[in-house]
Every structure is written in C-alpha cells, then in structure tokens.
C-alpha cells in the first residue's frame, strides 16, 4: 500500500453511510463496476473486521457476491476482482471465505468453457433461424450508422476509446465524431496545464488527435470520467452522459475523489482539502492502476499510428526502388 493508505484509520462504518455509497447498484452497471469493486476492496481492507457492525458486514458480503456474479456476467474476471476477493478472504469467517473462493473457481471454469465454445459474452445475443434453418447471430455492424453515432454522443472518452477497438468501421466513426471530441476535450482538460491556448483544429482527424496527445501528456485529467463525485451530502455516482450535458465551468468546479477519500467519508473521517482533480501526490495504488488502465488504450493507439506510418514509408520505398528480380526490404 502507498504511504497515503497507511495514514487511513477508519472510524465507525455505519450502515447509513454504507448504503449511501450505492455500491450494490454501481456493481450492476458496466460504467461504474470497476470503480465500485475498488471501493469495496478498500472497505474490506480498512473497516470490515474492526469498524463495521454486523449489519454492514452482511451487506458487504452480499455486495461481494454481487460483484463476483456481475464480473462473470460482464466477462470481467480480471485483476481488479482478484484483488477484491483477496482482500475479503483475509477478513471473512472461514465458512464465508470458502463459499467465495469456491464461487470464484466455478466462475473461472465457466468462463474458460465458454471461451472454448466460442460463445463467451455473445451467449446473450438474440438469434434467429435463417431460411436454410441455420442460426444467424446478430452483429454489431447490423446497427445503422445513425444509431451508432447517437450512442457515441453519450459516451465519455474512455468508452469511445474502447469502441475504436471493436472494428474498423467503429474506429472510423468514433474518431470522426468531430463535435464529440471537441466537447470531450473541453470537459476533460478545462483548466489543466495541458490545454492549448489556441482553438482546437477544425478537421475531424485533428480534433481526435489533439485529444489523444493531451491525454498522453495529462492522463490524470481522465479521472473526471471515474464516475465518482463528492458533494456536500457525500459521494454520488455521475454517468458520462450526465457529465457530457454539463458546461465546462460546472465540471471544473466538481470534486472527483480518489478511492481512499470515499472510504474516509464512509468511515466518518475528514476527507481533507483537495482540488477538483486530485494531484499525483498521495495517489493510491488502485487509482494509479486505474489511470494506467485508462491510458493503455491511448498509448496503444499512438503505437499503432506510428507503426502504420512506418509501414507506409517502407512500402513507398519498396515501390519506388525496385531491385532486379526482387524488391528491396
């Protein structure tokens, strides 16, 4: 754990405050699932054994089972879930610990079997018989372009970056959403050191590339899309769609807390003074991992673009300078 984590000494984790975190609801959503698992993990580490009453402990155990079920359903049996279960089994009674570990093993086996069959997450897709009696599975490309563009208008930059990995057509559509990337640029980097002093370029490709470069230089700006805001009444969940509807000035005034700040609030501790977007000092391991995972998509895109440009230059050189009987490599 980081030095900031060691300074946390939780007070009383009341059932009222735990319910206000709305972790059970957040775990059922694709957008907030990962963040909710990180918060639940830290609560198991900091408050379960010593500071949580029986009612809160029962609620946390039920949320743990819900997290495992949702991760299996969403195909997210990843390191985040492993860390959550590891934190829970260290403090759970033996009987509950055995139940959780057995459920995790069953989920992993089921996911592997699904992967071998080739159905995976697509098993929930509706299918219908063709004229020849075969089963026809619906595909993403079957959606009209207008529908896809309307969906992109409600997504944040992290979700849009994931969409670029789906297919070439989705990549071209998401990168060509000119007005979307202009708005996302202002919402994400408003007031940060990386925002340019002049206006954004007007071409589609340049608008996407400007966001890509700013994200690589200032990745912590993406924390504004973590899903958590801290208001006067406590932490609340904020969707990317709701954030997109806000003016940049209001977004800049919001507080986007780290995981340990939410745990402090839930346990009755002071959250201290912090800026709208937290600085790198005192960043917890979970938050650092979250920033890294969000940046992988942008870093991958940068490497792919450089590779494509290099291949283009190489292919141009091969075509222009033929060698007798073969091409120069």
């Amino acid at each position: 754990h980081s030095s900031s984590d060691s300074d946390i000494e939780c007070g009383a984790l009341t059932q009222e405050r735990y319910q206000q975190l709305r972790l059970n609801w957040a775990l059922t959503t694709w957008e907030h699932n990962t963040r909710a698992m990180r918060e639940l993990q830290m609560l198991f580490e900091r408050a379960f054994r010593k500071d949580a009453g029986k009612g809160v402990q029962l609620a946390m155990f039920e949320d743990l089972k819900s997290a495992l079920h949702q991760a299996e359903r969403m195909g997210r049996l990843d390191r985040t879930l492993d860390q959550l279960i590891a934190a829970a089994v260290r403090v759970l009674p033996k009987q509950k610990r055995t139940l959780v570990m057995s459920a995790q093993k069953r989920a992993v086996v089921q996911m592997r079997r699904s992967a071998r069959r080739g159905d995976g997450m697509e098993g929930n897709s509706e299918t219908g018989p063709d004229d020849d009696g075969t089963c026809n599975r619906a595909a993403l490309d079957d959606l009209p372009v207008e529908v896809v563009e309307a969906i992109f208008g409600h997504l944040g930059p992290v979700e849009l970056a994931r969409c670029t990995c789906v297919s070439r057509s989705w990549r071209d559509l998401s990168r060509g959403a000119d007005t979307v990337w202009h708005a996302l640029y202002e919402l994400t980097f408003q007031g940060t050191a990386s925002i340019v002093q002049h206006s954004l370029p007007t071409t589609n490709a340049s608008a996407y590339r400007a966001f890509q470069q700013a994200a690589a230089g200032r990745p912590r700006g993406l924390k504004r899309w973590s899903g958590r805001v801290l208001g006067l009444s406590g932490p609340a969940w904020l969707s990317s769609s709701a954030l997109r509807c806000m003016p940049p000035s209001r977004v800049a005034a919001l507080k986007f807390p780290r995981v340990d700040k939410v745990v402090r609030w839930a346990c009755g501790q002071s959250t201290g003074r912090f800026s709208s977007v937290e600085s790198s000092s005192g960043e917890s391991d979970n938050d650092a991992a979250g920033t890294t995972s969000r940046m992988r998509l942008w870093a991958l895109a940068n490497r792919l673009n450089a590779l494509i440009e290099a291949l283009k230059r190489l292919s141009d050189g091969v075509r222009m300078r033929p060698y007798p009987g073969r091409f120069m490599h």
Side-chain angles (χ1 to χ4, degrees), residues 32-163:
H32 305 308
N33 175 268
T34 300
R35 168 73 185 226
M37 284 198 291
R38 291 184 183 129
E39 292 184 6
L40 184 59
Q41 172 196 340
M42 187 169 287
L43 285 169
F44 270 110
E45 293 173 345
R46 304 288 181 251
F48 182 87
R49 178 177 291 172
K50 178 181 177 181
D51 303 304
K54 294 296 184 181
V56 178
Q57 289 183 354
L58 179 60
M60 291 176 64
F61 179 69
E62 292 298 322
D63 286 349
L64 174 63
K65 294 193 297 182
S66 178
L68 181 57
H69 172 73
Q70 295 298 333
E72 179 183 2
R73 184 178 67 86
M74 297 176 180
R76 284 184 167 176
L77 298 177
D78 54 11
R79 185 169 175 266
T80 303
L81 180 66
D82 292 340
Q83 291 175 337
L84 168 59
I85 292 178
V89 298
R90 284 194 291 266
V91 296
L92 284 172
K94 182 178 180 179
Q95 184 178 8
K96 292 183 177 179
R97 181 168 66 244
T98 303
L99 290 174
V100 171
M101 297 178 67
S102 299
Q104 183 187 24
K105 291 179 180 178
R106 288 196 301 269
V108 171
V109 170
Q110 183 61 35
M111 288 290 293
R112 290 175 178 172
R113 289 176 179 174
S114 299
R116 285 197 296 268
R117 290 196 303 265
D119 49 11
M121 291 294 290
E122 297 176 359
N124 295 329
S125 300
E126 294 184 1
T127 59
D130 288 338
D131 294 335
D132 57 358
T134 61
C135 203
N136 181 29
R137 193 180 298 277
L140 292 172
D141 291 337
D142 293 337
L143 290 174
V145 174
E146 295 78 9
V147 174
V148 177
E149 290 178 343
I151 294 173
F152 286 171
H154 293 275
L155 300 180
V158 179
E159 289 79 12
L160 273 177
R162 292 189 180 119
C163 289

Side-chain angles (χ1 to χ4, degrees), residues 154-215:
H154 293 275
L155 300 180
V158 179
E159 289 79 12
L160 273 177
R162 292 189 180 119
C163 289
T164 63
C165 303
V166 173
S167 65
R168 292 181 179 178
S169 60
W170 278 37
R171 179 194 62 191
D172 295 339
L173 283 172
S174 61
R175 292 184 180 182
D178 184 40
T179 57
V180 171
W181 287 112
H182 274 263
L184 289 177
Y185 190 97
E186 293 182 4
L187 286 172
T188 306
F189 303 108
Q190 179 73 24
T192 64
S194 64
I195 192 168
V196 293
Q197 300 298 324
H198 53 80
S199 300
L200 277 172
T202 56
T203 60
N204 295 354
S206 297
Y208 167 78
R209 193 164 299 175
F211 186 97
Q212 188 182 61
Q213 293 173 352

Side-chain angles (χ1 to χ4, degrees), residues 208-229:
Y208 167 78
R209 193 164 299 175
F211 186 97
Q212 188 182 61
Q213 293 173 352
R218 182 78 173 181
R220 302 188 196 285
L222 295 175
K223 283 188 175 182
R224 293 183 172 180
W225 305 94
S226 65
R228 268 299 194 192
V229 293

